[in-house]
Amino acid sequence: MDEPTASSPSEKPTFNNPTSNPSGRPTSNEPTSSSPSNEPTDFPLSSEPSQSPSSASSPPSEQPSHEPVTDSPTMQPTKQPTKSPTQRPSTTSPSKWPTKQPTQRPSTPYPTSSPTDQPSCDADYQDFNLCFAIDMSGSVCNQGTPFLCEGCEPELICNDIGVDKDTCCANFFDVVEFAKLMVKTFESIPSDQSYSIVGFATDAAWTSDITTSSIETLNALDELTYSGGMTNHADAMTTCRGSLLSSSSSGGGSGEDDRKNLILLITDGDPTEPKGSPRVDAEEAAAEAKAEGVFIIPVMIVPQIATAGLNPETVAYLEEISSDGSVFEVSDFGVLGSLRESLLAQVSCQV
């Protein structure tokens, strides 16, 4: 029988196939997994206690790690910082709750002082006669509708709740109250005054003769009855002019022909009578009055429904009939009283 011959080792190591069944215990003392198991072991892995905890970190440094923001500590601790810096505030104090509408730009850099009862001009306070020309046309009470409101009809449109039909609407009541306020205001002028009243609509009506009694004037204003109708500025100024000039021809007192005569035209719209050219007729009536020394002051109420304000042509027309080009304008009947001081100054400077 032949002896087996020793073969030389192969150049590459061979690996035996793994057994199909694992051995009973591990072949190495090293753990088989680098991560802990989910379940605790049945017995401790070591009989020796673990080493002492890691040594404490080094003592704190004497200098802060960041440069301080302030030179001295604040009185109160700061709140938790935000992730990003806040913007620099635009004001030093919190603003008030914003208004719905922006305020208008002031006309002066500093607030003006309270208005005085004395005019800024060098007035010599001459005695004067003043005629109130009061608009009683349909536009005063018709709430922007085409109704003429003659006799305060139709009531549903023209007659305000709680207002008697002689007054008809709150707007006309405000006009009358404004005229009464001006009578009382003009009494502060150190001179003698006389007043007359003309109500106008389609035509003008001379409702009060010239009188030196403010009491009689106030009573006459209270007795005014609203008429309704169209708007006739020409007839209003012609009728006022007649009442003013009658004071000197009637011999109503010594020196009355030397008085200054004024017309305060209170209206809420363009003239619509007489037919054809109502503005031209009004301008001619104003020119005739001014030629005889009558000073005309227009007061215009721009209704709230007229959101666009005064038409430029209306402004030019009112400036034409005004004696000095001034037009006193308010946005509502209810604020006519705001013209008190400016009208007092205007009248005082003319007399």
PDB file of all heavy atoms in Angstrom, residues 132 179-180 182-187 193-195 197 211-222:
ATOM      1  N   PHE A 132     -79.595 139.627   7.069  1.00  0.00           N
ATOM      2  CA  PHE A 132     -79.425 138.172   6.947  1.00  0.00           C
ATOM      3  C   PHE A 132     -80.261 137.688   5.758  1.00  0.00           C
ATOM      4  O   PHE A 132     -81.492 137.793   5.782  1.00  0.00           O
ATOM      5  CB  PHE A 132     -79.903 137.464   8.215  1.00  0.00           C
ATOM      6  CG  PHE A 132     -79.016 137.667   9.417  1.00  0.00           C
ATOM      7  CD1 PHE A 132     -79.314 138.641  10.358  1.00  0.00           C
ATOM      8  CD2 PHE A 132     -77.895 136.877   9.603  1.00  0.00           C
ATOM      9  CE1 PHE A 132     -78.519 138.820  11.473  1.00  0.00           C
ATOM     10  CE2 PHE A 132     -77.080 137.044  10.709  1.00  0.00           C
ATOM     11  CZ  PHE A 132     -77.383 138.022  11.650  1.00  0.00           C
ATOM     12  N   ALA A 179     -77.980 132.133  12.679  1.00  0.00           N
ATOM     13  CA  ALA A 179     -78.265 133.568  12.551  1.00  0.00           C
ATOM     14  C   ALA A 179     -78.465 134.204  13.927  1.00  0.00           C
ATOM     15  O   ALA A 179     -77.973 135.314  14.192  1.00  0.00           O
ATOM     16  CB  ALA A 179     -79.499 133.772  11.671  1.00  0.00           C
ATOM     17  N   LYS A 180     -79.153 133.498  14.812  1.00  0.00           N
ATOM     18  CA  LYS A 180     -79.362 134.015  16.165  1.00  0.00           C
ATOM     19  C   LYS A 180     -78.028 134.123  16.921  1.00  0.00           C
ATOM     20  O   LYS A 180     -77.792 135.094  17.654  1.00  0.00           O
ATOM     21  CB  LYS A 180     -80.337 133.105  16.927  1.00  0.00           C
ATOM     22  CG  LYS A 180     -81.762 133.177  16.400  1.00  0.00           C
ATOM     23  CD  LYS A 180     -82.616 132.016  16.887  1.00  0.00           C
ATOM     24  CE  LYS A 180     -82.799 132.008  18.379  1.00  0.00           C
ATOM     25  NZ  LYS A 180     -83.694 130.909  18.826  1.00  0.00           N
ATOM     26  N   MET A 182     -75.119 134.692  15.612  1.00  0.00           N
ATOM     27  CA  MET A 182     -74.358 135.826  15.094  1.00  0.00           C
ATOM     28  C   MET A 182     -74.909 137.151  15.596  1.00  0.00           C
ATOM     29  O   MET A 182     -74.140 138.086  15.853  1.00  0.00           O
ATOM     30  CB  MET A 182     -74.342 135.789  13.560  1.00  0.00           C
ATOM     31  CG  MET A 182     -73.606 134.597  12.955  1.00  0.00           C
ATOM     32  SD  MET A 182     -72.000 134.223  13.718  1.00  0.00           S
ATOM     33  CE  MET A 182     -71.117 135.755  13.501  1.00  0.00           C
ATOM     34  N   VAL A 183     -76.224 137.253  15.767  1.00  0.00           N
ATOM     35  CA  VAL A 183     -76.787 138.487  16.347  1.00  0.00           C
ATOM     36  C   VAL A 183     -76.205 138.699  17.745  1.00  0.00           C
ATOM     37  O   VAL A 183     -75.779 139.808  18.102  1.00  0.00           O
ATOM     38  CB  VAL A 183     -78.326 138.412  16.403  1.00  0.00           C
ATOM     39  CG1 VAL A 183     -78.893 139.584  17.207  1.00  0.00           C
ATOM     40  CG2 VAL A 183     -78.916 138.413  14.992  1.00  0.00           C
ATOM     41  N   LYS A 184     -76.191 137.639  18.540  1.00  0.00           N
ATOM     42  CA  LYS A 184     -75.656 137.760  19.901  1.00  0.00           C
ATOM     43  C   LYS A 184     -74.154 138.034  19.879  1.00  0.00           C
ATOM     44  O   LYS A 184     -73.636 138.760  20.741  1.00  0.00           O
ATOM     45  CB  LYS A 184     -75.934 136.469  20.674  1.00  0.00           C
ATOM     46  CG  LYS A 184     -77.415 136.181  20.875  1.00  0.00           C
ATOM     47  CD  LYS A 184     -77.637 134.806  21.484  1.00  0.00           C
ATOM     48  CE  LYS A 184     -79.119 134.484  21.588  1.00  0.00           C
ATOM     49  NZ  LYS A 184     -79.360 133.099  22.113  1.00  0.00           N
ATOM     50  N   THR A 185     -73.446 137.479  18.903  1.00  0.00           N
ATOM     51  CA  THR A 185     -72.002 137.680  18.806  1.00  0.00           C
ATOM     52  C   THR A 185     -71.665 139.110  18.415  1.00  0.00           C
ATOM     53  O   THR A 185     -70.744 139.721  18.971  1.00  0.00           O
ATOM     54  CB  THR A 185     -71.400 136.704  17.775  1.00  0.00           C
ATOM     55  OG1 THR A 185     -71.654 135.364  18.199  1.00  0.00           O
ATOM     56  CG2 THR A 185     -69.903 136.908  17.631  1.00  0.00           C
ATOM     57  N   PHE A 186     -72.408 139.654  17.456  1.00  0.00           N
ATOM     58  CA  PHE A 186     -72.131 141.016  16.993  1.00  0.00           C
ATOM     59  C   PHE A 186     -72.398 142.054  18.078  1.00  0.00           C
ATOM     60  O   PHE A 186     -71.905 143.187  17.986  1.00  0.00           O
ATOM     61  CB  PHE A 186     -72.967 141.337  15.752  1.00  0.00           C
ATOM     62  CG  PHE A 186     -72.581 140.532  14.538  1.00  0.00           C
ATOM     63  CD1 PHE A 186     -73.540 140.172  13.590  1.00  0.00           C
ATOM     64  CD2 PHE A 186     -71.272 140.131  14.332  1.00  0.00           C
ATOM     65  CE1 PHE A 186     -73.194 139.423  12.480  1.00  0.00           C
ATOM     66  CE2 PHE A 186     -70.917 139.380  13.215  1.00  0.00           C
ATOM     67  CZ  PHE A 186     -71.880 139.029  12.287  1.00  0.00           C
ATOM     68  N   GLU A 187     -73.150 141.679  19.089  1.00  0.00           N
ATOM     69  CA  GLU A 187     -73.390 142.618  20.186  1.00  0.00           C
ATOM     70  C   GLU A 187     -72.109 142.943  20.946  1.00  0.00           C
ATOM     71  O   GLU A 187     -72.038 143.951  21.667  1.00  0.00           O
ATOM     72  CB  GLU A 187     -74.427 142.042  21.158  1.00  0.00           C
ATOM     73  CG  GLU A 187     -75.852 142.039  20.610  1.00  0.00           C
ATOM     74  CD  GLU A 187     -76.852 141.473  21.602  1.00  0.00           C
ATOM     75  OE1 GLU A 187     -76.445 140.638  22.437  1.00  0.00           O
ATOM     76  OE2 GLU A 187     -78.020 141.877  21.563  1.00  0.00           O
ATOM     77  N   GLN A 193     -75.908 148.622  16.181  1.00  0.00           N
ATOM     78  CA  GLN A 193     -76.217 147.752  15.047  1.00  0.00           C
ATOM     79  C   GLN A 193     -77.715 147.715  14.794  1.00  0.00           C
ATOM     80  O   GLN A 193     -78.513 147.842  15.726  1.00  0.00           O
ATOM     81  CB  GLN A 193     -75.738 146.328  15.335  1.00  0.00           C
ATOM     82  CG  GLN A 193     -74.264 146.209  15.655  1.00  0.00           C
ATOM     83  CD  GLN A 193     -74.019 145.770  17.093  1.00  0.00           C
ATOM     84  OE1 GLN A 193     -74.800 145.025  17.668  1.00  0.00           O
ATOM     85  NE2 GLN A 193     -72.943 146.254  17.681  1.00  0.00           N
ATOM     86  N   SER A 194     -78.052 147.526  13.511  1.00  0.00           N
ATOM     87  CA  SER A 194     -79.436 147.300  13.106  1.00  0.00           C
ATOM     88  C   SER A 194     -79.460 146.059  12.216  1.00  0.00           C
ATOM     89  O   SER A 194     -78.490 145.784  11.497  1.00  0.00           O
ATOM     90  CB  SER A 194     -79.998 148.501  12.340  1.00  0.00           C
ATOM     91  OG  SER A 194     -79.996 149.664  13.163  1.00  0.00           O
ATOM     92  N   TYR A 195     -80.589 145.329  12.256  1.00  0.00           N
ATOM     93  CA  TYR A 195     -80.682 144.081  11.500  1.00  0.00           C
ATOM     94  C   TYR A 195     -81.995 144.011  10.741  1.00  0.00           C
ATOM     95  O   TYR A 195     -83.026 144.542  11.181  1.00  0.00           O
ATOM     96  CB  TYR A 195     -80.599 142.873  12.442  1.00  0.00           C
ATOM     97  CG  TYR A 195     -79.341 142.822  13.269  1.00  0.00           C
ATOM     98  CD1 TYR A 195     -79.344 143.258  14.593  1.00  0.00           C
ATOM     99  CD2 TYR A 195     -78.143 142.361  12.723  1.00  0.00           C
ATOM    100  CE1 TYR A 195     -78.195 143.212  15.355  1.00  0.00           C
ATOM    101  CE2 TYR A 195     -76.981 142.321  13.481  1.00  0.00           C
ATOM    102  CZ  TYR A 195     -77.013 142.753  14.804  1.00  0.00           C
ATOM    103  OH  TYR A 195     -75.875 142.736  15.552  1.00  0.00           O
ATOM    104  N   ILE A 197     -84.107 140.881   8.076  1.00  0.00           N
ATOM    105  CA  ILE A 197     -84.090 139.466   7.694  1.00  0.00           C
ATOM    106  C   ILE A 197     -84.827 139.294   6.378  1.00  0.00           C
ATOM    107  O   ILE A 197     -85.957 139.781   6.218  1.00  0.00           O
ATOM    108  CB  ILE A 197     -84.756 138.598   8.779  1.00  0.00           C
ATOM    109  CG1 ILE A 197     -84.039 138.774  10.128  1.00  0.00           C
ATOM    110  CG2 ILE A 197     -84.742 137.125   8.369  1.00  0.00           C
ATOM    111  CD1 ILE A 197     -84.801 138.166  11.290  1.00  0.00           C
ATOM    112  N   THR A 211     -84.242 146.928  12.209  1.00  0.00           N
ATOM    113  CA  THR A 211     -84.513 147.280  13.599  1.00  0.00           C
ATOM    114  C   THR A 211     -83.213 147.330  14.386  1.00  0.00           C
ATOM    115  O   THR A 211     -82.278 146.573  14.105  1.00  0.00           O
ATOM    116  CB  THR A 211     -85.466 146.263  14.253  1.00  0.00           C
ATOM    117  OG1 THR A 211     -85.641 146.586  15.640  1.00  0.00           O
ATOM    118  CG2 THR A 211     -84.942 144.843  14.138  1.00  0.00           C
ATOM    119  N   THR A 212     -83.167 148.216  15.353  1.00  0.00           N
ATOM    120  CA  THR A 212     -81.989 148.338  16.205  1.00  0.00           C
ATOM    121  C   THR A 212     -82.077 147.418  17.412  1.00  0.00           C
ATOM    122  O   THR A 212     -81.131 147.340  18.194  1.00  0.00           O
ATOM    123  CB  THR A 212     -81.828 149.787  16.698  1.00  0.00           C
ATOM    124  OG1 THR A 212     -83.013 150.178  17.406  1.00  0.00           O
ATOM    125  CG2 THR A 212     -81.589 150.734  15.535  1.00  0.00           C
ATOM    126  N   SER A 213     -83.194 146.742  17.543  1.00  0.00           N
ATOM    127  CA  SER A 213     -83.397 145.878  18.708  1.00  0.00           C
ATOM    128  C   SER A 213     -82.968 144.442  18.383  1.00  0.00           C
ATOM    129  O   SER A 213     -83.545 143.802  17.495  1.00  0.00           O
ATOM    130  CB  SER A 213     -84.873 145.900  19.149  1.00  0.00           C
ATOM    131  OG  SER A 213     -85.114 144.899  20.112  1.00  0.00           O
ATOM    132  N   SER A 214     -81.977 143.946  19.098  1.00  0.00           N
ATOM    133  CA  SER A 214     -81.570 142.569  18.902  1.00  0.00           C
ATOM    134  C   SER A 214     -82.660 141.608  19.369  1.00  0.00           C
ATOM    135  O   SER A 214     -82.806 140.509  18.811  1.00  0.00           O
ATOM    136  CB  SER A 214     -80.260 142.288  19.649  1.00  0.00           C
ATOM    137  OG  SER A 214     -80.411 142.517  21.044  1.00  0.00           O
ATOM    138  N   ILE A 215     -83.435 142.009  20.359  1.00  0.00           N
ATOM    139  CA  ILE A 215     -84.531 141.169  20.847  1.00  0.00           C
ATOM    140  C   ILE A 215     -85.567 140.966  19.745  1.00  0.00           C
ATOM    141  O   ILE A 215     -86.030 139.834  19.497  1.00  0.00           O
ATOM    142  CB  ILE A 215     -85.190 141.779  22.095  1.00  0.00           C
ATOM    143  CG1 ILE A 215     -84.163 141.938  23.235  1.00  0.00           C
ATOM    144  CG2 ILE A 215     -86.367 140.929  22.542  1.00  0.00           C
ATOM    145  CD1 ILE A 215     -83.575 140.637  23.705  1.00  0.00           C
ATOM    146  N   GLU A 216     -85.920 142.057  19.054  1.00  0.00           N
ATOM    147  CA  GLU A 216     -86.888 141.947  17.953  1.00  0.00           C
ATOM    148  C   GLU A 216     -86.330 141.071  16.823  1.00  0.00           C
ATOM    149  O   GLU A 216     -87.074 140.301  16.200  1.00  0.00           O
ATOM    150  CB  GLU A 216     -87.234 143.341  17.425  1.00  0.00           C
ATOM    151  CG  GLU A 216     -88.060 144.186  18.389  1.00  0.00           C
ATOM    152  CD  GLU A 216     -88.410 145.548  17.808  1.00  0.00           C
ATOM    153  OE1 GLU A 216     -88.119 145.772  16.605  1.00  0.00           O
ATOM    154  OE2 GLU A 216     -88.951 146.392  18.547  1.00  0.00           O
ATOM    155  N   THR A 217     -85.048 141.208  16.570  1.00  0.00           N
ATOM    156  CA  THR A 217     -84.427 140.394  15.512  1.00  0.00           C
ATOM    157  C   THR A 217     -84.467 138.914  15.872  1.00  0.00           C
ATOM    158  O   THR A 217     -84.799 138.064  15.029  1.00  0.00           O
ATOM    159  CB  THR A 217     -82.984 140.850  15.285  1.00  0.00           C
ATOM    160  OG1 THR A 217     -82.962 142.249  14.963  1.00  0.00           O
ATOM    161  CG2 THR A 217     -82.335 140.050  14.160  1.00  0.00           C
ATOM    162  N   LEU A 218     -84.140 138.593  17.110  1.00  0.00           N
ATOM    163  CA  LEU A 218     -84.169 137.195  17.547  1.00  0.00           C
ATOM    164  C   LEU A 218     -85.589 136.628  17.483  1.00  0.00           C
ATOM    165  O   LEU A 218     -85.789 135.472  17.079  1.00  0.00           O
ATOM    166  CB  LEU A 218     -83.616 137.079  18.973  1.00  0.00           C
ATOM    167  CG  LEU A 218     -82.119 137.411  19.135  1.00  0.00           C
ATOM    168  CD1 LEU A 218     -81.741 137.405  20.617  1.00  0.00           C
ATOM    169  CD2 LEU A 218     -81.257 136.428  18.364  1.00  0.00           C
ATOM    170  N   ASN A 219     -86.576 137.429  17.851  1.00  0.00           N
ATOM    171  CA  ASN A 219     -87.978 136.971  17.771  1.00  0.00           C
ATOM    172  C   ASN A 219     -88.398 136.733  16.324  1.00  0.00           C
ATOM    173  O   ASN A 219     -89.112 135.765  16.022  1.00  0.00           O
ATOM    174  CB  ASN A 219     -88.897 137.998  18.434  1.00  0.00           C
ATOM    175  CG  ASN A 219     -88.741 138.041  19.950  1.00  0.00           C
ATOM    176  OD1 ASN A 219     -88.280 137.068  20.556  1.00  0.00           O
ATOM    177  ND2 ASN A 219     -89.109 139.162  20.560  1.00  0.00           N
ATOM    178  N   ALA A 220     -87.964 137.643  15.437  1.00  0.00           N
ATOM    179  CA  ALA A 220     -88.312 137.495  14.023  1.00  0.00           C
ATOM    180  C   ALA A 220     -87.684 136.218  13.438  1.00  0.00           C
ATOM    181  O   ALA A 220     -88.304 135.530  12.625  1.00  0.00           O
ATOM    182  CB  ALA A 220     -87.853 138.720  13.238  1.00  0.00           C
ATOM    183  N   LEU A 221     -86.480 135.886  13.861  1.00  0.00           N
ATOM    184  CA  LEU A 221     -85.843 134.657  13.397  1.00  0.00           C
ATOM    185  C   LEU A 221     -86.597 133.422  13.894  1.00  0.00           C
ATOM    186  O   LEU A 221     -86.766 132.437  13.160  1.00  0.00           O
ATOM    187  CB  LEU A 221     -84.385 134.599  13.883  1.00  0.00           C
ATOM    188  CG  LEU A 221     -83.412 135.549  13.155  1.00  0.00           C
ATOM    189  CD1 LEU A 221     -82.080 135.644  13.901  1.00  0.00           C
ATOM    190  CD2 LEU A 221     -83.176 135.086  11.719  1.00  0.00           C
ATOM    191  N   ASP A 222     -87.087 133.484  15.124  1.00  0.00           N
ATOM    192  CA  ASP A 222     -87.861 132.358  15.663  1.00  0.00           C
ATOM    193  C   ASP A 222     -89.177 132.153  14.912  1.00  0.00           C
ATOM    194  O   ASP A 222     -89.708 131.036  14.876  1.00  0.00           O
ATOM    195  CB  ASP A 222     -88.150 132.582  17.149  1.00  0.00           C
ATOM    196  CG  ASP A 222     -86.951 132.273  18.034  1.00  0.00           C
ATOM    197  OD1 ASP A 222     -86.140 131.421  17.636  1.00  0.00           O
ATOM    198  OD2 ASP A 222     -86.823 132.886  19.116  1.00  0.00           O
TER     199      ASP A 222
END
